[in-house]
Amino acid sequence: MVAIPDPQLRDYSLTGRDTIRAKETGLANAEWYHTEVPRKVMKELMKRRDGPAIRDTLIWFALLGGSAWGGIAFWGTWWAVPFWFVYGVMYGSVCDSRWHECGHGTAFRTQWMNDVIYHIASFMVVRNPVSWRWSHARHHTDTIIVGRDPEIACMRPPRLFRLLMSYAGVLDMIDSIRTLLRNAAGRLSAGEKDYIPESEWGKAILAARVHVAIYAMTAAAAAGMFAGGMGWASTIPLLLIGGPRIYGCWHMLMTGLIQHCGLAENVIDHRLNSRTVYMNPISRWIYWNMNYHVEHHMFPMVPYHALPKLHEVVKHDMPPANPSIWDAYREAIPAVLRQARDPGYSFRKPLPPTAQPYKEVPTRG
Amino acid sequence: MAEWVDVCALDELDPEDVMRFDHGGRVYAVYRSENGTPYATDGLCTHEHVCLADGLVLGEEIECPKHNGRFNIRTGAALRAPVSVPLATYPARISAGRIEILI
């Protein structure tokens, strides 16, 4: 007797049943919908500048340095807590948006600046700087296409406990460290081999070894301080390096999980599978305007500092943005809970009368 | 045999910009660099067949609009991941106020 796979069950691996299906149905590497924007306007929006990212990076480094200083200077008193809170977010959440924008090469006009910050942020966010560059390229080619996109955060049926626990950062950190160690040992998974060209495999392994060496030195420093009788203060190296990826990642998760969760899979219109959310200015600074997520996916060459302007240009063709993070969760949580019972369900936003209809069927060239 | 093919009037393409040019069933990208010099390459990115004419010209580089990979428009060299295969290039010139490419 031949077992027939349950159509409700999905195979999120990059070499499985849904990969074949995505290729056969034209969902892989498809031509996606995009809003028409006059070339002159788009050229202006795409224009690269160093100024905004230099300003933001100086502020970031100053906050990192200042909060680390305060955390150490006030060690042993309650005054240290707010400093470590700020340091945690600056390290464990800001790193994600800097990794992302510099990985696209759009944050700075000067490419070496993008590359330097990309490598620093990749280390902080515990991502292999080589493999994640390729994984993110695939995420943009095949956004939330099952069997193709390696960056789907909310798989179906959802693992609710895991999603909830992701806010604590521990499970994600364990996964990231496991991947780093595997890469450092010279091994790449089948999925990594699928989206990273073979010519880059050696670079991915080398990068993992450098990261592991820095973490090993950090752990050795903590162990040395403990052996030297420094007690709880021997945790300071771990609070400074690596640890913030756990205790400071909550903002990254808070903003990142509403990018796509609860929305459609296997569509070729970013308005159906991505979410634009209005946020407070502090969150937008931490997140580098990635709250304009539909716009970012539709036009990834527009730098973060121009996304608010792009939003104004295209919003006639977009579903209404969620007015707050809270509102986005009020939309996403019921949708994800329903997906636990009905994995085929997704929340579909109505379009304004000024918008073009959703594009849902792949066109094959 | 290759021949010079008319693309457009010079003033139809701004310096530091790119346009799509379809000819003989193929897609080309025709550029003017910052100083106005014309160049031509294949029109689709070697990474994933995205139309380069929707991208951004930065000096002598074209950035793919989908994944931000970059090529040198003069040599076709792949400069920035995720592109790794170079673009084919074609001679381009300005003749009597018009841009022509040799294809």
Side-chain angles (χ1 to χ4, degrees):
Chain A
M1 193 173 127
V2 178
I4 300 168
D6 182 345
Q8 290 281 69
L9 289 179
R10 287 143 168 81
D11 180 356
Y12 287 92
S13 76
L14 304 183
T15 52
R17 187 190 70 215
D18 283 68
T19 308
I20 297 166
R21 189 184 296 165
K23 287 177 182 170
E24 284 175 351
T25 55
L27 280 168
N29 210 357
E31 194 176 316
W32 286 64
Y33 175 78
H34 68 267
T35 303
E36 289 303 323
V37 177
R39 174 78 185 158
K40 275 201 186 318
V41 175
M42 185 47 68
K43 262 181 73 180
E44 196 54 36
L45 290 166
M46 288 192 292
K47 203 172 267 179
R48 301 298 151 76
R49 294 160 63 195
D50 282 332
I54 288 176
R55 177 202 63 206
D56 288 344
T57 303
L58 290 175
I59 294 170
W60 182 35
F61 285 167
L63 286 168
L64 274 170
S67 55
W69 171 84
I72 294 167
F74 294 105
W75 184 260
T77 74
W78 285 106
W79 290 108
V81 174
F83 285 101
W84 286 115
F85 176 81
V86 172
Y87 183 79
V89 173
M90 288 303 114
Y91 185 121
S93 287
V94 175
C95 63
D96 176 57
S97 58
R98 275 53 179 176
W99 162 83
H100 176 263
E101 274 297 281
C102 293
H104 276 286
T106 49
F108 299 89
R109 181 179 169 87
T110 307
Q111 272 313 298
W112 69 262
M113 294 185 190
N114 283 315
D115 292 338
V116 168
I117 299 300
Y118 177 73
H119 278 278
I120 294 171
S122 293
F123 172 77
M124 295 164 94
V125 75
V126 198
R127 288 178 191 151
N128 188 312
V130 178
S131 22
W132 276 79
R133 202 187 277 281
W134 295 92
S135 123
H136 199 64
R138 176 69 71 81
H139 173 61
H140 272 270
T141 303
D142 296 321
T143 309
I144 321 295
I145 301 292
V146 179
R148 291 286 293 173
D149 185 350
E151 296 183 10
I152 299 179
C154 292
M155 296 179 181
R156 305 184 202 172
R159 296 156 77 185
L160 298 174
F161 177 73
R162 199 184 160 84
L163 276 174
L164 199 63
M165 285 302 290
S166 63
Y167 273 87
V170 179
L171 295 179
D172 189 33
M173 184 67 162
I174 290 170
D175 286 348
S176 299
I177 291 286
R178 198 177 281 162
T179 303
L180 205 57
L181 289 171
R182 180 169 46 72
N183 290 168
R187 283 185 283 122
L188 299 175
S189 68
E192 287 166 337
K193 285 181 177 173
D194 182 57
Y195 58 75
I196 308 171
E198 196 169 349
S199 60
E200 302 290 307
W201 292 359
K203 290 180 196 167
I205 290 165
L206 175 66
R209 286 175 180 163
V210 171
H211 285 201
V212 168
I214 299 171
Y215 287 122
M217 284 190 281
T218 307
M225 288 167 70
F226 186 74
M230 294 184 72
W232 283 105
S234 59
T235 59
I236 288 175
L238 302 174
L239 289 173
L240 286 172
I241 297 173
R245 178 63 178 76
I246 297 174
Y247 72 81
C249 74
W250 61 271
H251 192 282
M252 169 175 78
L253 270 304
M254 179 182 74
T255 49
L257 283 178
I258 48 178
Q259 290 175 351
H260 305 287
C261 285
L263 300 176
E265 290 178 334
N266 294 339
V267 291
I268 51 169
D269 189 330
H270 292 111
R271 300 174 299 174
L272 282 164
N273 67 10
S274 306
R275 191 180 272 114
T276 285
V277 182
Y278 295 140
M279 290 181 186
N280 66 80
I282 295 172
S283 286
R284 278 179 47 199
W285 182 84
I286 292 171
Y287 197 25
W288 257 8
N289 284 338
M290 278 306 122
N291 53 306
Y292 297 106
H293 213 65
V294 182
E295 291 84 349
H296 166 67
H297 267 280
M298 212 180 258
F299 300 105
M301 63 286 192
V302 173
Y304 76 95
H305 50 77
L307 284 175
K309 279 186 203 158
L310 173 62
H311 172 68
E312 292 303 320
V313 169
V314 299
K315 75 176 178 189
H316 67 279
D317 199 30
M318 299 282 151
N322 294 89
S324 65
I325 295 173
W326 172 244
D327 184 77
Y329 274 97
R330 275 180 40 189
E331 177 183 286
I333 290 172
V336 170
L337 290 175
R338 184 162 164 189
Q339 285 167 356
R341 304 188 308 273
D342 174 10
Y345 173 76
S346 62
F347 185 79
R348 188 182 172 95
K349 292 177 176 233
L351 284 169
T354 49
Q356 291 294 315
Y358 284 127
K359 178 179 179 178
E360 290 174 272
V361 182
T363 50
R364 311 204 68 166
Chain B
M1 191 176 150
E3 59 178 345
W4 288 100
V5 175
D6 182 70
V7 176
C8 65
L10 188 59
D11 60 7
E12 286 179 52
L13 182 59
D14 292 336
E16 211 172 26
D17 203 1
V18 56
M19 70 185 294
R20 176 179 174 144
F21 178 61
D22 293 81
H23 183 79
R26 294 194 61 174
V27 183
Y28 300 90
V30 180
Y31 315 83
R32 287 183 72 194
S33 67
E34 216 167 359
N35 65 13
T37 309
Y39 295 101
T41 70
D42 273 343
L44 299 177
C45 180
T46 57
H47 174 227
E48 280 183 355
H49 295 279
V50 175
C51 187
L52 291 170
D54 292 328
L56 180 66
V57 179
L58 294 142
E60 283 201 344
E61 295 175 12
I62 174 71
E63 184 179 276
C64 173
K66 187 82 175 177
H67 301 107
N68 311 86
R70 288 191 186 181
F71 300 94
N72 183 301
I73 59 176
R74 190 166 46 82
T75 65
L79 301 176
R80 183 176 191 282
V83 300
S84 51
V85 177
L87 272 179
T89 59
Y90 306 91
R93 70 182 184 189
I94 298 168
S95 175
R98 300 192 66 82
I99 296 175
E100 297 176 343
I101 63 174
L102 187 64
I103 48 179

Coordinates of all heavy atoms in Angstrom, one line a residue, chain A residues 56-100:
Chain A
D56 N 23.7 56.8 12.4 CA 23.0 55.7 13.2 C 24.1 54.8 13.8 O 23.9 54.3 14.9 CB 22.0 54.9 12.3 CG 20.8 55.7 12.0 OD1 20.5 56.7 12.7 OD2 20.0 55.3 11.1
T57 N 25.1 54.5 13.1 CA 26.2 53.6 13.6 C 26.9 54.2 14.7 O 27.3 53.6 15.7 CB 27.1 53.2 12.4 OG1 26.3 52.6 11.4 CG2 28.1 52.2 12.9
L58 N 27.2 55.5 14.6 CA 27.9 56.2 15.7 C 27.0 56.2 17.0 O 27.5 56.0 18.1 CB 28.3 57.7 15.3 CG 29.4 57.8 14.2 CD1 29.6 59.2 13.8 CD2 30.7 57.2 14.7
I59 N 25.7 56.5 16.8 CA 24.8 56.4 17.9 C 24.8 55.0 18.5 O 24.9 54.8 19.7 CB 23.4 56.8 17.5 CG1 23.3 58.3 17.1 CG2 22.4 56.6 18.6 CD1 22.0 58.7 16.4
W60 N 24.8 54.0 17.6 CA 24.7 52.6 18.1 C 26.0 52.3 18.9 O 25.9 51.7 20.0 CB 24.6 51.7 16.8 CG 24.5 50.2 17.1 CD1 23.9 49.6 18.2 CD2 25.1 49.2 16.3 NE1 24.0 48.3 18.1 CE2 24.7 48.0 17.0 CE3 25.8 49.1 15.1 CZ2 25.1 46.7 16.5 CZ3 26.1 47.9 14.6 CH2 25.8 46.7 15.3
F61 N 27.1 52.6 18.4 CA 28.4 52.3 19.1 C 28.5 53.0 20.4 O 28.9 52.5 21.4 CB 29.6 52.6 18.2 CG 29.8 51.6 17.1 CD1 30.7 51.8 16.1 CD2 29.2 50.3 17.1 CE1 30.9 50.9 15.1 CE2 29.4 49.4 16.1 CZ 30.3 49.7 15.1
A62 N 28.0 54.3 20.4 CA 28.0 55.1 21.6 C 27.1 54.5 22.7 O 27.5 54.4 23.9 CB 27.6 56.5 21.3
L63 N 25.9 54.0 22.2 CA 25.0 53.3 23.2 C 25.6 52.0 23.7 O 25.4 51.7 24.9 CB 23.6 53.2 22.6 CG 22.8 54.5 22.4 CD1 21.6 54.2 21.5 CD2 22.3 54.9 23.8
L64 N 26.2 51.3 22.8 CA 26.8 50.0 23.2 C 27.9 50.3 24.2 O 27.9 49.6 25.3 CB 27.4 49.3 22.0 CG 26.5 48.4 21.1 CD1 27.3 48.0 19.9 CD2 26.1 47.1 21.9
G65 N 28.8 51.2 23.9 CA 29.9 51.5 24.8 C 29.5 52.1 26.1 O 29.9 51.6 27.2
G66 N 28.5 53.0 26.1 CA 28.0 53.7 27.3 C 27.3 52.7 28.2 O 27.5 52.7 29.4
S67 N 26.5 51.9 27.6 CA 25.7 51.0 28.4 C 26.6 49.9 29.0 O 26.4 49.4 30.1 CB 24.5 50.4 27.7 OG 24.9 49.8 26.5
A68 N 27.6 49.4 28.2 CA 28.5 48.4 28.8 C 29.3 49.0 29.9 O 29.5 48.4 31.0 CB 29.5 48.0 27.7
W69 N 29.7 50.3 29.8 CA 30.5 50.9 30.8 C 29.6 51.0 32.1 O 30.0 50.6 33.2 CB 30.8 52.4 30.4 CG 31.4 53.2 31.6 CD1 32.7 53.2 32.0 CD2 30.6 54.0 32.4 NE1 32.7 54.0 33.1 CE2 31.5 54.5 33.4 CE3 29.3 54.4 32.4 CZ2 31.1 55.4 34.4 CZ3 28.9 55.3 33.4 CH2 29.8 55.8 34.4
G70 N 28.3 51.4 31.9 CA 27.5 51.6 33.1 C 27.2 50.2 33.8 O 27.2 50.1 35.0
G71 N 27.0 49.2 33.0 CA 26.7 47.9 33.5 C 27.9 47.4 34.3 O 27.7 46.7 35.4
I72 N 29.1 47.7 33.9 CA 30.3 47.2 34.7 C 30.5 48.2 35.9 O 30.8 47.7 37.0 CB 31.5 47.2 33.7 CG1 31.3 46.1 32.6 CG2 32.8 46.9 34.5 CD1 32.3 46.2 31.5
A73 N 30.4 49.5 35.6 CA 30.7 50.4 36.7 C 29.8 50.3 37.9 O 30.2 50.4 39.0 CB 30.6 51.9 36.1
F74 N 28.5 49.9 37.6 CA 27.5 49.8 38.7 C 27.3 48.3 39.1 O 26.3 48.0 39.7 CB 26.2 50.5 38.3 CG 26.3 52.0 38.1 CD1 26.4 52.6 36.9 CD2 26.4 52.8 39.3 CE1 26.5 53.9 36.8 CE2 26.6 54.2 39.1 CZ 26.6 54.8 37.9
W75 N 28.2 47.5 38.7 CA 28.0 46.0 38.9 C 27.8 45.8 40.4 O 28.5 46.4 41.3 CB 29.3 45.3 38.5 CG 29.2 43.8 38.6 CD1 29.6 43.0 39.6 CD2 28.4 42.9 37.8 NE1 29.3 41.7 39.5 CE2 28.5 41.6 38.3 CE3 27.7 43.1 36.6 CZ2 28.0 40.5 37.7 CZ3 27.1 42.0 36.0 CH2 27.3 40.7 36.5
G76 N 26.9 45.0 40.7 CA 26.6 44.7 42.1 C 25.5 45.5 42.7 O 25.1 45.3 43.9
T77 N 25.0 46.6 41.9 CA 23.9 47.4 42.4 C 22.8 47.3 41.4 O 23.0 46.9 40.3 CB 24.3 48.9 42.5 OG1 24.4 49.4 41.2 CG2 25.7 49.0 43.2
W78 N 21.6 47.7 41.8 CA 20.4 47.7 40.9 C 20.6 48.7 39.8 O 19.9 48.6 38.7 CB 19.1 48.0 41.7 CG 18.7 46.8 42.5 CD1 18.8 46.6 43.8 CD2 18.2 45.5 42.0 NE1 18.3 45.4 44.2 CE2 17.9 44.7 43.1 CE3 17.9 45.1 40.7 CZ2 17.4 43.4 43.0 CZ3 17.3 43.8 40.6 CH2 17.1 43.0 41.7
W79 N 21.5 49.7 40.0 CA 21.7 50.7 38.9 C 22.3 50.0 37.6 O 22.1 50.6 36.6 CB 22.7 51.8 39.4 CG 22.0 52.6 40.4 CD1 22.3 52.7 41.7 CD2 21.0 53.6 40.2 NE1 21.5 53.6 42.4 CE2 20.7 54.2 41.4 CE3 20.3 54.0 39.1 CZ2 19.7 55.2 41.6 CZ3 19.3 55.0 39.2 CH2 19.1 55.6 40.5
A80 N 22.9 48.9 37.8 CA 23.5 48.2 36.6 C 22.4 47.6 35.7 O 22.6 47.5 34.5 CB 24.4 47.1 37.1
V81 N 21.2 47.3 36.3 CA 20.2 46.6 35.5 C 19.7 47.4 34.2 O 19.8 46.9 33.1 CB 19.0 46.3 36.4 CG1 17.8 45.7 35.5 CG2 19.4 45.3 37.4
P82 N 19.4 48.7 34.4 CA 18.9 49.4 33.1 C 20.1 49.5 32.1 O 19.8 49.5 30.9 CB 18.5 50.8 33.6 CG 19.0 50.9 35.0 CD 19.2 49.5 35.6
F83 N 21.3 49.6 32.6 CA 22.4 49.6 31.6 C 22.5 48.3 30.8 O 22.7 48.3 29.6 CB 23.8 49.9 32.3 CG 23.9 51.3 32.7 CD1 23.7 51.7 34.1 CD2 24.2 52.3 31.8 CE1 23.8 53.1 34.4 CE2 24.3 53.7 32.2 CZ 24.1 54.0 33.5
W84 N 22.4 47.2 31.5 CA 22.5 45.9 30.8 C 21.2 45.7 29.9 O 21.3 45.1 28.9 CB 22.6 44.7 31.8 CG 23.9 44.6 32.4 CD1 24.3 44.8 33.7 CD2 25.2 44.4 31.8 NE1 25.6 44.7 33.9 CE2 26.2 44.4 32.7 CE3 25.5 44.1 30.4 CZ2 27.5 44.2 32.4 CZ3 26.8 43.9 30.1 CH2 27.8 43.9 31.1
F85 N 20.1 46.3 30.4 CA 18.9 46.2 29.5 C 19.1 46.9 28.2 O 18.9 46.3 27.1 CB 17.7 46.8 30.3 CG 16.4 46.9 29.5 CD1 15.6 45.8 29.4 CD2 16.1 48.0 28.8 CE1 14.5 45.8 28.6 CE2 14.9 48.1 28.0 CZ 14.1 46.9 27.9
V86 N 19.7 48.1 28.3 CA 20.0 48.8 27.0 C 21.0 48.1 26.2 O 20.9 47.9 25.0 CB 20.4 50.3 27.4 CG1 20.9 51.0 26.1 CG2 19.3 51.1 28.0
Y87 N 22.1 47.7 26.9 CA 23.2 47.0 26.2 C 22.6 45.7 25.5 O 22.9 45.5 24.3 CB 24.3 46.6 27.1 CG 25.4 45.9 26.4 CD1 26.4 46.7 25.7 CD2 25.6 44.5 26.4 CE1 27.4 46.0 25.1 CE2 26.6 43.9 25.7 CZ 27.5 44.7 25.1 OH 28.6 44.0 24.4
G88 N 21.8 45.0 26.1 CA 21.2 43.8 25.6 C 20.4 44.1 24.3 O 20.6 43.4 23.3
V89 N 19.6 45.1 24.3 CA 18.8 45.4 23.1 C 19.8 46.0 22.0 O 19.6 45.6 20.8 CB 17.7 46.4 23.4 CG1 17.0 46.9 22.1 CG2 16.7 45.8 24.3
M90 N 20.7 46.8 22.4 CA 21.7 47.3 21.4 C 22.4 46.2 20.7 O 22.7 46.3 19.5 CB 22.6 48.3 22.0 CG 22.0 49.6 22.4 SD 21.3 50.5 21.0 CE 19.6 50.4 21.5
Y91 N 22.8 45.2 21.5 CA 23.6 44.1 20.9 C 22.6 43.1 20.3 O 22.7 42.7 19.1 CB 24.4 43.4 22.0 CG 25.3 42.3 21.7 CD1 26.7 42.5 21.9 CD2 24.9 41.2 21.1 CE1 27.6 41.4 21.6 CE2 25.8 40.1 20.7 CZ 27.1 40.3 21.0 OH 28.0 39.3 20.7
G92 N 21.7 42.6 21.0 CA 20.9 41.4 20.6 C 19.8 41.6 19.7 O 19.2 40.7 19.1
S93 N 19.4 42.9 19.5 CA 18.3 43.2 18.6 C 18.7 44.1 17.5 O 18.4 43.9 16.3 CB 17.1 43.9 19.3 OG 16.4 42.9 20.1
V94 N 19.5 45.2 17.8 CA 19.9 46.1 16.7 C 20.8 45.4 15.7 O 20.8 45.7 14.5 CB 20.7 47.3 17.4 CG1 21.3 48.2 16.3 CG2 19.8 48.1 18.2
C95 N 21.6 44.4 16.2 CA 22.4 43.6 15.3 C 21.7 43.0 14.1 O 22.2 43.0 13.0 CB 23.2 42.5 16.0 SG 22.1 41.3 16.7
D96 N 20.4 42.6 14.3 CA 19.7 42.0 13.3 C 19.4 42.9 12.1 O 19.6 42.6 10.9 CB 18.4 41.4 13.9 CG 17.5 40.8 12.8 OD1 17.9 39.9 12.1 OD2 16.3 41.3 12.6
S97 N 18.9 44.1 12.4 CA 18.6 45.1 11.3 C 19.9 45.5 10.6 O 19.9 45.8 9.4 CB 17.8 46.3 11.9 OG 18.5 46.9 12.9
R98 N 21.0 45.7 11.4 CA 22.2 46.1 10.7 C 22.8 45.0 9.8 O 23.3 45.3 8.8 CB 23.3 46.5 11.8 CG 23.1 48.0 12.3 CD 21.8 48.3 12.7 NE 21.6 49.7 13.2 CZ 20.5 50.3 13.6 NH1 19.3 49.6 13.5 NH2 20.5 51.5 14.1
W99 N 22.7 43.8 10.3 CA 23.1 42.6 9.5 C 22.3 42.6 8.2 O 22.8 42.4 7.1 CB 22.8 41.3 10.3 CG 22.7 40.1 9.5 CD1 23.8 39.4 9.1 CD2 21.5 39.5 8.9 NE1 23.3 38.3 8.3 CE2 22.0 38.4 8.2 CE3 20.2 39.8 9.0 CZ2 21.1 37.6 7.5 CZ3 19.3 39.0 8.3 CH2 19.7 37.9 7.6
H100 N 21.0 42.9 8.4 CA 20.0 42.8 7.2 C 20.3 43.8 6.2 O 20.5 43.6 5.0 CB 18.6 42.9 7.7 CG 17.6 42.9 6.7 ND1 17.1 44.0 6.1 CD2 17.1 41.9 5.9 CE1 16.2 43.7 5.2 NE2 16.2 42.4 5.0

